[in-house]
Amino acid sequence: MDEPDVALVLAHGWQASARVWNDVLMRTTLDSRLRVITYDQRGHGASTHGRAPADISVLARDLAALLTAHAGDLPVVLAGHSMGAMSVLMYSLQAGPTALTQTAGVLLASTSTGRLDLRRHDQPALTRVLGNARSAIASACATAPRPVQYLRNTLRPSAEPRPPLEIAAAWYRAILDYDVAGLLDALTNTPVHLITGTQDRLIPPVHTCRLAAELPHARIHVAEGAGHSLPGERPDLVANVLRDLVKDARARQAEGGGGRSQLQTA
């Protein structure tokens, strides 16, 4: 077995689990020098919710702890989908530019810098109606989770593990509160790839455009006809981008560009 030279960390999205990356990993883990790290975010999959209130900054601290425990001194490629990508962006904000030298590449799929609350006054009237409806559903999930969960399991059964509805509602509100717009300078010198689906109705492509405006060096990949769940809908595309990032990380390491992040967590 070869010694690993790059760590690949995969962060899943809201109401998902690490299993969302399975199709991608089938296409990327033939490389014996790659240390692949997947995990269930708190409140999702097999992870407990913990006592901290739901907040994307908490997920960023979890990511920092994960890197400390499992990545060692390896250069790291961080990949996130939806809420997982928000965790990666918040981590980059908390770490700061001098503490991100270990991060050798970033993939952000189906995500945003924030402003996802459709109830905002600057939104069209019909959009605000949709936002109010979604917030009402989230409130119902938090206050009466059992009957709503029964309806969900009846109307939308799933073989994939999903968090309890009150937990899902808490993280939905955390996503609405999340905002890192204008704060992404720490990624200026880090290779970044952005992927969006043209039919993504949860986080439409305009949010990727806003990310690209803040990260003009980023490479953008548009998945025609794809929706929000890109790791499942377009696993080949996601795997190809990850391979490129890992290849680039190795090239930078060979040139002496590797390093170690020293993020302090509370």
Side-chain angles (χ1 to χ4, degrees), residues 11-14 20-21 79-85 107 109-111 228-231:
H12 67 79
W14 181 59
V20 76
W21 298 104
H81 171 250
S82 190
M83 186 180 75
L107 166 62
S110 309
T111 199
H228 185 68
S229 302
L230 288 175

Side-chain angles (χ1 to χ4, degrees), residues 59-69 91 94 263-265:
L59 299 184
R61 292 197 294 271
D62 289 344
L63 176 56
L66 184 85
L67 293 176
T68 299
Y91 165 76
Q94 292 181 350
L263 175 63
Q264 299 296 316
T265 60

Side-chain angles (χ1 to χ4, degrees), residues 60-239:
R61 292 197 294 271
D62 289 344
L63 176 56
L66 184 85
L67 293 176
T68 299
H70 298 288
D73 292 314
L74 296 176
V76 174
V77 172
L78 297 174
H81 171 250
S82 190
M83 186 180 75
M86 297 175 194
S87 307
V88 171
L89 287 170
M90 186 65 77
Y91 165 76
S92 73
L93 171 60
Q94 292 181 350
T98 60
L100 275 171
T101 53
Q102 187 180 9
T103 303
V106 170
L107 166 62
L108 305 169
S110 309
T111 199
S112 172
T113 58
R115 295 178 62 81
L116 286 164
D117 192 340
L118 301 181
R119 299 170 297 174
R120 300 192 320 270
H121 293 300
D122 61 340
Q123 293 286 353
L126 288 178
T127 301
R128 293 200 302 272
V129 169
L130 176 60
N132 285 322
R134 288 180 175 176
S135 295
I137 293 171
S139 296
C141 293
T143 57
R146 289 187 179 180
V148 179
Q149 185 151 317
Y150 174 79
L151 287 174
R152 179 184 71 169
N153 293 340
T154 302
L155 299 175
R156 296 184 60 188
S158 174
E160 295 296 317
R162 294 186 294 195
L165 277 177
E166 63 272 27
I167 301 299
W171 285 108
Y172 175 75
R173 289 193 294 268
I175 289 170
L176 295 188
D177 292 338
Y178 154 87
D179 188 355
V180 296
L183 303 172
L184 303 183
D185 291 346
L187 291 175
T188 299
N189 297 317
T190 301
V192 177
H193 288 243
L194 310 174
I195 311 181
T196 185
T198 58
Q199 300 303 311
D200 189 341
R201 301 182 187 279
L202 292 178
I203 303 181
V206 65
H207 289 271
T208 296
C209 294
R210 292 171 184 163
L211 263 170
E214 293 203 36
L215 301 169
H217 67 292
R219 293 183 58 185
I220 304 171
H221 309 265
V222 178
E224 293 289 339
H228 185 68
S229 302
L230 288 175
E233 294 181 59
R234 295 290 191 273
D236 288 310
L237 171 60
V238 176

